[in-house]
Amino acid sequence: MKAPTRIGAVVVKEFRHLGRDPRMLAAVVLLPILLLVLFSYALSFDIRSVSTIVIDQDQSATSQRYLQGYEQSDFFDVVARGSSMTDADEAFATSTAKVAVIIPAGFERTIQAGGHAEVAVLVDGTEPNSARVGRSYSVAINQLSSTAMTREWAESQGIDVSGVGTLDARIRTWYNPDQRSSDFLIPGLMVVILAIVTIQQTAVTLVRERTLGTEEQLEVSPMHKLELMIGKLIPWTLLALVDVVVIVAIGVLVLGVPLRGSVAALAVGAALFILASLGMGLAVSAVAPTEDTANIAAMMIALLPSFMLSGFVFPLNQMPVVLQWISAVLPARYMVSLSRGVFLKGAGFAELWPDLLALAFAATVLIAVSTVMYSRKARR
């Protein structure tokens, strides 16, 4: 019997296993869809309508005009007005407000006298991201208000400021001009979902042979261990590619994520990443003594590195150097980079070949390692 025939027999056997367990087949196909929908709606870095309390102790026309900047902003949502610091303390304690803007008495008088008026902006730091963005928005509103007040003062003094030069910074955001979190997250989310499904499902495939008592039949057969691994990989690779098509279709057609680059490059990258992930799963399956151990180990290997160390959520260049080194050996890192390059930057093979090369290398090494590990396990 030739190698392709032996591999084909293993592939047929794996599909028969899947056919006998429709719940697993449904989980492989439906779980990515469920995860994509849940993650895409649950994960968001968009910050809008931050609840804000304003305390205007000056009650002047100038203070009211200043507060209009907060009221007209999409970022701040003025939900309450207070009269003292006690109101701000209560709003923060009850989480009614995340930002407090306090204008002291004498605000207008100080400005009209040419003095330096101060406004207190308190930010609830229990949510660091909202606090950081809130500080930036407050600084911007203060600068705009200060510029408007300076212009009004100059005009009231009869000074013509129309001839004064101005600086107008034209800031443009490339690739994601609306700065939507979904456009940023979903290309990376596809990688995390694929890692979870492929590694977890293949991690139990060899253990199941052991549990069912069919491992000895495979070991005494003339089949080479690499042929067995290839036969085990092919069905899961095809199912994972179906998952990729479904995820991309939902992302583009339902969630509105742009797909600007080379679909062929994305397909090749996804296939290499799937092979690398399946290799990791088979390596776990080759050494795990039970299905429970294989499931736990696979979940740890799939979820944590792909979520934490791939650049999916946290920028890699902001991590400690040791973690950057660890991330360099993870296939998910290169697939996240490739996926975002295709979806958002319109990249193709010319730009993405380093990521493709890294994925190909990882897939080759991981499948070879899993084959060696299973061979050693079988000889014991």
Side-chain angles (χ1 to χ4, degrees):
M1 186 180 293
K2 295 181 179 179
T5 306
R6 293 193 291 267
I7 293 173
V10 176
V11 172
V12 172
K13 174 176 170 295
E14 285 297 307
F15 274 121
R16 284 179 177 169
H17 272 305
L18 286 169
R20 294 192 191 104
D21 192 352
R23 288 175 299 181
M24 177 182 288
L25 191 59
V28 173
V29 177
L30 298 179
L31 184 62
I33 300 174
L34 180 63
L35 290 175
L36 179 65
V37 173
L38 286 178
F39 274 93
S40 61
Y41 285 105
L43 279 181
S44 175
F45 297 134
D46 297 335
I47 301 174
R48 291 188 178 89
S49 302
V50 175
S51 54
T52 304
I53 180 173
V54 296
I55 300 173
D56 185 0
Q57 297 174 328
D58 192 56
Q59 294 295 327
S60 63
T62 303
S63 65
Q64 292 296 320
R65 194 161 56 248
Y66 171 80
L67 289 177
Q68 286 178 359
Y70 288 88
E71 293 170 341
Q72 296 172 356
S73 167
D74 292 334
F75 180 81
F76 298 100
D77 180 17
V78 178
V79 296
R81 293 180 180 273
S83 58
S84 66
M85 278 297 298
T86 305
D87 295 327
D89 290 339
E90 291 180 356
F92 276 12
T94 60
S95 298
T96 306
K98 297 295 183 184
V99 176
V101 182
I102 304 167
I103 302 178
F107 175 75
E108 183 180 62
R109 185 173 62 253
T110 302
I111 292 176
Q112 291 177 346
H116 182 70
E118 294 183 348
V119 174
V121 179
L122 309 180
V123 182
D124 184 348
T126 54
E127 296 180 12
N129 196 32
S130 299
R132 188 164 46 250
V133 179
R135 283 172 58 91
S136 301
Y137 271 82
S138 296
V139 169
I141 288 176
N142 284 337
Q143 289 176 341
L144 289 173
S145 298
S146 179
T147 302
M149 290 176 185
T150 302
R151 182 179 291 276
E152 289 178 6
W153 176 85
E155 291 175 351
S156 67
Q157 299 298 313
I159 301 173
D160 182 12
V161 296
S162 60
V164 178
T166 59
L167 175 62
D168 184 13
R170 302 294 179 91
I171 301 174
R172 295 181 179 177
T173 303
W174 285 17
Y175 308 127
N176 187 6
D178 297 331
Q179 300 183 41
R180 296 200 314 158
S181 290
S182 58
D183 290 3
F184 165 75
L185 289 173
I186 288 176
L189 191 57
M190 178 183 73
V191 179
V192 175
I193 292 173
L194 284 177
I196 293 173
V197 173
T198 54
I199 296 177
Q200 199 274 331
Q201 294 298 330
T202 52
V204 298
T205 182
L206 293 176
V207 181
R208 190 180 298 117
E209 300 285 357
R210 214 169 295 145
T211 304
L212 296 174
T214 55
E215 185 181 36
E216 292 181 355
Q217 297 175 10
L218 294 173
E219 291 176 2
V220 298
S221 70
M223 179 181 298
H224 190 275
K225 296 298 182 294
L226 181 60
E227 297 170 3
L228 173 62
M229 291 298 175
I230 294 174
K232 291 281 186 184
L233 288 177
I234 289 176
W236 294 106
T237 303
L238 296 175
L239 288 173
L241 288 174
V242 171
D243 287 340
V244 172
V245 173
V246 172
I247 292 172
V248 172
I250 292 176
V252 174
L253 301 177
V254 179
L255 301 175
V257 179
L259 180 57
R260 304 187 178 106
S262 169
V263 176
L266 180 64
V268 173
L272 292 172
F273 176 69
I274 289 168
L275 289 174
S277 299
L278 293 175
M280 294 172 69
L282 287 177
V284 172
S285 189
V287 297
T290 64
E291 289 192 26
D292 290 339
T293 304
N295 276 318
I296 295 172
M299 189 58 69
M300 295 290 289
I301 292 174
L303 183 60
L304 294 181
S306 60
F307 199 92
M308 306 286 290
L309 301 177
S310 66
F312 166 52
V313 176
F314 308 108
L316 293 173
N317 58 3
Q318 301 299 316
M319 293 181 181
V321 175
V322 174
L323 294 182
Q324 292 184 36
W325 291 346
I326 295 174
S327 74
V329 300
L330 298 174
R333 166 183 176 152
Y334 304 101
M335 188 58 203
V336 168
S337 172
L338 185 147
S339 179
R340 285 184 177 148
V342 172
F343 273 96
L344 301 179
K345 295 184 177 180
F349 287 101
E351 297 84 8
L352 300 173
W353 69 265
D355 293 328
L356 291 169
L357 189 62
L359 287 170
F361 179 75
T364 304
V365 170
L366 287 168
I367 292 173
V369 168
S370 65
T371 304
V372 171
M373 291 173 71
Y374 180 68
S375 299
R376 289 184 176 179
K377 180 82 174 179
R379 284 198 294 267
R380 293 176 183 174

